[in-house]
Amino acid sequence: MTNIILLGPPGAGKGTQAKRLVDERGMVQLSTGDMLREARTSGTDMGRKVAAVMDAGHLVTDDIVVGLIEEKLTTGAAAGGYIFDGFPRTLKQADALGALMARIGQPLDAVIELRVDDEALKQRIVGRYTCGTCGAVYHDTNHPPKVSGTCDSCGGTTMKRRADDTEEALRTRMLAYYRDTSPLIGYYYAKGQLSTVDGLAEMDAVAVALAKVLDAK
Ligand code: AMP
């Protein structure tokens, strides 16, 4: 089993690639963004508290996201390994993750940066949507489903767009990425754990590059 972090700005393809790894390798995706969106949908106190922060594109507090991850990690180890997607996003979260993994006796095997061109990101994000039933990711021009409005994977017909996939929220999310998250690249490089793949390549080529990193572990 292999535990990895997928690191990269919004729209780099972390969620898309994580879902493939879940299907192909039986890994478990831990996306703090998905967990927070779920908390909002189910109307928990925490979900209500973070809604406006998320919609504006700001980061929610370290305590909240570390708490969410801690809950998942203590409910049994994942057979195929964990994929941390969108977490950690600050140095404080990175330290907390290191401590949590040590506590459950699990290694962090690789940190994989999906490197992308900033201009291309806006294009990607502003056109993207997902299947409301299974979470498969689509894009207006780059990757529409074969039959418009119908999911290729599960046949679902409810498509969703994220409230923070607007140009304005994206600007804030990019700022948060470069200010708070990008220092993690240097941090994990210095620890000897960083690998980088070209996140702008075709989806299948990115998957192949990721597989190479994983298979080398
Ligand atoms: P994502 O789906 O990863 O793009 O996350 C969507 C939003 O959830 C972010 O813009 C933040 O508001 C919040 N969020 C998700 N993960 C984290 C995290 N690790 N730390 C702080 N905020 C987060």
Side-chain angles (χ1 to χ4, degrees):
M1 92 182 236
T2 315
N3 300 310
I4 63 165
I5 294 174
L6 293 181
L7 200 59
K14 302 183 296 292
T16 303
Q17 295 296 333
K19 285 193 173 59
R20 285 182 71 135
L21 291 170
V22 169
D23 291 344
E24 290 164 14
R25 295 180 181 242
M27 296 177 79
V28 171
Q29 177 188 14
L30 295 183
S31 157
T32 40
D34 285 350
M35 292 174 206
L36 290 165
R37 280 184 287 278
E38 220 174 277
R40 292 178 61 166
T41 311
S42 51
T44 64
D45 276 355
M46 186 266 281
R48 272 193 293 276
K49 214 163 85 186
V50 299
V53 175
M54 289 176 74
D55 286 349
H58 294 293
L59 294 185
V60 310
T61 64
D62 291 330
D63 290 348
I64 288 179
V65 289
V66 169
L68 287 170
I69 289 287
E70 186 170 10
E71 249 171 56
K72 302 281 176 184
L73 287 183
T74 48
T75 52
Y82 291 112
I83 308 160
F84 297 98
D85 161 15
F87 178 91
R89 258 175 157 99
T90 64
L91 287 167
K92 204 167 155 210
Q93 291 176 23
D95 284 336
L97 178 62
L100 284 173
M101 295 299 271
R103 198 198 298 167
I104 62 167
Q106 286 285 325
L108 180 59
D109 298 290
V111 179
I112 308 173
E113 178 200 0
L114 295 177
R115 188 168 289 170
V116 287
D117 171 72
D118 290 333
E119 281 302 312
L121 285 181
K122 199 163 95 182
Q123 253 286 94
R124 261 197 191 181
I125 287 204
V126 175
R128 80 174 168 183
Y129 55 96
T130 55
C131 169
T133 311
C134 74
V137 184
Y138 296 101
H139 189 279
D140 290 327
T141 47
N142 303 349
H143 180 51
K146 292 192 186 83
V147 178
S148 173
T150 303
C151 177
D152 293 343
S153 304
C154 77
T157 51
T158 321
M159 298 292 177
K160 294 192 305 193
R161 278 178 205 266
R162 285 172 45 164
D164 59 352
D165 275 352
T166 61
E167 278 195 53
E168 200 191 335
L170 178 60
R171 256 194 302 276
T172 309
R173 289 159 71 199
M174 293 291 277
L175 267 173
Y177 178 76
Y178 282 108
R179 188 186 54 220
D180 299 317
T181 309
S182 65
L184 297 182
I185 294 169
Y187 174 88
Y188 286 118
Y189 171 78
K191 281 168 156 279
Q193 290 177 304
L194 188 75
S195 302
T196 301
V197 307
D198 174 10
L200 274 190
E202 288 293 317
M203 231 189 285
D204 289 345
V206 179
V208 169
L210 282 177
K212 248 191 214 157
V213 176
L214 282 164
D215 292 337
K217 295 293 159 193

